[in-house]
Amino acid sequence: MNATPHTARPTSRLSPVPTLLVAILLPLSDPAAGSEGVWTLTDPSQTVRFHLSTNSQGWLTWSVEAHQRQVLLPATLGLQIDGTNLACGIVTGPVHQSRHYEEFDWLGARNRVTNDCYGYEIPIRSGPALTWTLEVRVFRDAIAFRYLVPAGAGTRHVQGEFTTFQLPPDARLWLQTNLANHEGIFHSLSASGLPSQPGLRMGLPVTAELTQNTTLLISEARLLDYSGMALESAGPGRLRAVFPHDPEGWRWQGAIVSPWRVVIIATNLDQLVNSDVLPALCDPPDPELFPQGARTPWLRPGRAPCTWMVFGNGGARWDRQKWFVDTAAALGCEYLLVDAGWQTDRWGWIEPGTDLWTRVAELCRYAAERNVGILLWHAYPEGRDDGPGLTRPENRETFFRRCAEAGVKGVKIDFFDSESLDTVTAVEDLRRRAAQHRLLINFHGIPKPTGLNRTWPNELTREAVREQEYQLWSSLPLTHYGALPFTRLVVGPADFLPGYVQPHLRKETTLGFQIAATVVFSSPLLCWPDHPEAYLNSPALPFFRQVPTTWDETRVLPESRIGQLVSMARRRGSEWFVAMLNCSHHPITLSLDPRRWSSPNMQCTVYRDTPDRSRIQIESGPAPAQPFQVDLVEGGGALFHFHPPRHWPGWM
């Protein structure tokens, strides 16, 4: 438990959906009610139904139907404050219903996000004096709820929640169990075999495959002023909320607003990957900091080599930095990520008669002349040998101010390894201060995203995943690659480091797999993991120079299977990139119909493995007019780039 109580932020974030482009908030008729204290809350299309009632013990319970099928069975909800269960022995007031609709720009797998749902506010009295509100949102593809407790006298002890999720017995879960930084391996378990004593703890998100083509994803949205939630099994199919980084709870002064507890409900993997729910539940960006929202000009997505990958801390040597800039420019990269080590005197940045920040400014000027921006790494915790940490607000402000003065474009902050209230509060402050200095952010060593890159679009990406850095000393299971697009990547972009070229780093995967992976594991900030010369000498260099990092549209093709096969198409302008990953240990043959992705006179450039997995074949010509067969070797991949003909002025 935190010794020092936290205080609620002075400006309220409890308002209905704010307007960025289009927003509607309208009172509607009362939700359907059965007997007293039983409600059915629906989305605008009445596809999804959130049932709320009390059980025989007087506990508030919830369940969900979708497409006329029960997808979540009755389970408890509630919050415990100062020893009181707020959802037991309750009296409810009249339900307020509203309609929410808005659209806003986005950086990532699509260029627009839609928030379209019904909202419900249910006033509740627990005991003689304590009142609070259960707020529910019901979407066509999801439900979300949160707890709102008004400010009281003094500080209060938030001891946890009684929130549980009861899955059908036929569910199969995809999960990982690293709660510090979410760098665990995703694997599958049967919901019916979940233990209760002791329970299995897992990080969010958790994806559940049901029968009859239904997939659920459980996560949380808008994690602010609260400890981060994980899940613990409590018997067959049952998962309960736990707060592993504040196990004794925390003290809070002011209004208590929980994050949204979210369940996405998809009838296919395309619907799952394209869910807009998490950002739709978060606040819009501050117009003073981001006057054009996600399209604010200084929010520049791009690609970057990394000085640490394959080089270690030695990549921070001062005498290598301008070479790194030159290779970044040759690769067509927008940025260079100067990773760990640059702050110490070991690598030549600090010498007699020189100043560290003078060197940083020199590098930024050199890079700017070559249209490359510099991103700087910094550790969050104190006590490391590579510079002071950022746990103190004054150190954050000094670091960001010096970065802005030197011409740095963004920062990578590392080693949080926690989702405690203290850490959540610090991360929010880092986002805000970075935005005030017009700095992009890439968080590493940190748990899951919760949609707040809507509020802070300067957070282009974060780790929160076991990514390809692990290929340097071990290897990633193929099933992990096959699970991530339908688990971790659903809730936000990941700095996965796709695109190894050298054979000894690709491990079980092929070059065709790694090329296709740069499209599947796309991120608004895409960091290249391999030696820059490996890309410059690769036959696929034109691809690495031109692959987009943000997209207008993404589609998951029907043959995709979680943990086994990823088949995905992404569009940028008139060009489509169709990527296929065989995440199994046997060959797979697929069929691709090019007519869906091309138009008359379009060209198609194909990247695929040779049958012996040793090389990549690259072919370019007119797009085929009929469906054709695609053979994928085990751990292999293929990429089909449909694009207009290339024209060079002055050529015949």
Side-chain angles (χ1 to χ4, degrees), residues 93-152:
V95 178
H96 173 72
Q97 181 180 3
S98 54
R99 172 70 186 273
H100 300 255
Y101 185 89
E102 61 176 335
E103 300 176 13
F104 50 92
D105 291 330
W106 194 245
L107 297 175
R110 48 203 173 277
N111 59 15
R112 300 276 288 177
V113 164
T114 300
N115 175 13
D116 185 8
C117 68
Y118 281 165
Y120 303 88
E121 294 180 10
I122 304 167
I124 298 173
R125 187 174 76 245
S126 302
L130 185 55
T131 61
W132 59 284
T133 299
L134 177 67
E135 186 174 5
V136 180
R137 299 274 174 91
V138 188
F139 300 79
R140 290 176 172 85
D141 65 341
I143 62 90
F145 60 88
R146 66 177 176 178
Y147 310 110
L148 312 178
V149 184

Side-chain angles (χ1 to χ4, degrees), residues 292-365:
Q292 295 171 248
R295 304 299 175 196
T296 299
W298 63 270
L299 301 174
R300 185 189 183 199
R303 295 152 293 165
C306 171
T307 63
W308 191 90
M309 293 295 299
V310 310
F311 297 96
N313 286 349
R317 281 174 39 181
W318 170 252
D319 60 7
R320 286 182 174 175
Q321 298 313 301
K322 292 181 180 179
W323 171 82
F324 271 117
V325 169
D326 292 339
T327 57
L331 279 169
C333 291
E334 292 80 5
Y335 299 105
L336 167 66
L337 171 57
V338 180
D339 214 297
W342 66 274
Q343 290 174 286
T344 68
D345 55 7
R346 180 180 179 185
W347 304 113
W349 287 70
I350 306 172
E351 293 182 348
T354 65
D355 171 75
L356 176 64
W357 287 98
T358 300
R359 282 283 175 88
V360 173
E362 177 186 343
L363 183 63
C364 289
R365 288 192 299 272

Side-chain angles (χ1 to χ4, degrees), residues 139-192:
F139 300 79
R140 290 176 172 85
D141 65 341
I143 62 90
F145 60 88
R146 66 177 176 178
Y147 310 110
L148 312 178
V149 184
T155 64
R156 286 173 292 180
H157 183 192
V158 182
Q159 295 168 283
E161 296 183 11
F162 295 102
T163 306
T164 58
F165 303 81
Q166 183 64 55
L167 296 162
D170 60 8
R172 185 156 197 86
L173 305 184
W174 288 89
L175 58 96
Q176 64 84 32
T177 58
N178 182 321
L179 305 183
N181 53 35
H182 288 206
E183 293 179 25
I185 294 173
F186 272 89
H187 58 284
S188 65
L189 291 174
S190 170
S192 62

Side-chain angles (χ1 to χ4, degrees), residues 303 331-332 528 540-549 551 572 575 577 605 607 641 643 646:
R303 295 152 293 165
L331 279 169
W528 295 127
L541 175 61
F543 168 79
F544 292 115
R545 280 178 166 159
Q546 69 178 333
V547 61
T549 61
W551 306 89
R572 177 70 178 267
E575 302 187 18
F577 293 74
T605 301
Y607 304 82
H641 178 196
H643 56 85
R646 306 302 188 196

Side-chain angles (χ1 to χ4, degrees), residues 39-284:
W39 300 272
T40 295
L41 315 179
T42 70
D43 74 284
S45 68
Q46 298 193 7
T47 301
V48 175
R49 297 174 180 271
F50 181 99
H51 300 294
L52 188 66
S53 62
T54 54
N55 63 17
S56 58
Q57 289 78 39
W59 286 66
L60 199 57
T61 65
W62 66 290
S63 61
V64 178
E65 285 183 81
H67 306 281
Q68 300 181 337
R69 178 197 174 196
Q70 191 161 36
V71 296
L72 284 169
L73 306 177
T76 60
L77 49 75
L79 185 66
Q80 182 160 330
I81 298 177
D82 294 329
T84 300
N85 175 4
L86 301 192
C88 186
I90 62 169
V91 176
T92 61
V95 178
H96 173 72
Q97 181 180 3
S98 54
R99 172 70 186 273
H100 300 255
Y101 185 89
E102 61 176 335
E103 300 176 13
F104 50 92
D105 291 330
W106 194 245
L107 297 175
R110 48 203 173 277
N111 59 15
R112 300 276 288 177
V113 164
T114 300
N115 175 13
D116 185 8
C117 68
Y118 281 165
Y120 303 88
E121 294 180 10
I122 304 167
I124 298 173
R125 187 174 76 245
S126 302
L130 185 55
T131 61
W132 59 284
T133 299
L134 177 67
E135 186 174 5
V136 180
R137 299 274 174 91
V138 188
F139 300 79
R140 290 176 172 85
D141 65 341
I143 62 90
F145 60 88
R146 66 177 176 178
Y147 310 110
L148 312 178
V149 184
T155 64
R156 286 173 292 180
H157 183 192
V158 182
Q159 295 168 283
E161 296 183 11
F162 295 102
T163 306
T164 58
F165 303 81
Q166 183 64 55
L167 296 162
D170 60 8
R172 185 156 197 86
L173 305 184
W174 288 89
L175 58 96
Q176 64 84 32
T177 58
N178 182 321
L179 305 183
N181 53 35
H182 288 206
E183 293 179 25
I185 294 173
F186 272 89
H187 58 284
S188 65
L189 291 174
S190 170
S192 62
L194 289 174
S196 57
Q197 296 294 334
L200 174 69
R201 291 194 167 191
M202 59 199 77
L204 296 176
V206 171
T207 296
E209 293 182 282
L210 312 185
T211 58
Q212 301 181 27
N213 300 318
T214 300
T215 304
L216 310 181
L217 183 141
I218 303 171
S219 197
E220 64 179 337
R222 194 186 173 277
L223 174 57
L224 294 170
D225 302 335
Y226 209 87
S227 189
M229 184 177 80
L231 295 176
E232 182 178 66
S233 64
R238 177 159 294 188
L239 303 171
R240 67 182 186 93
V242 291
F243 301 89
H245 301 290
D246 286 303
E248 302 300 322
W250 59 95
R251 302 199 70 84
W252 187 259
Q253 184 172 352
I256 297 169
V257 183
S258 79
W260 293 96
R261 282 62 187 96
V262 180
V263 182
I264 299 172
I265 307 159
T267 56
N268 55 59
L269 296 180
D270 180 64
Q271 187 181 21
L272 177 69
V273 167
N274 281 290
S275 176
D276 291 335
V277 171
L278 264 68
L281 290 166
C282 293
D283 305 295

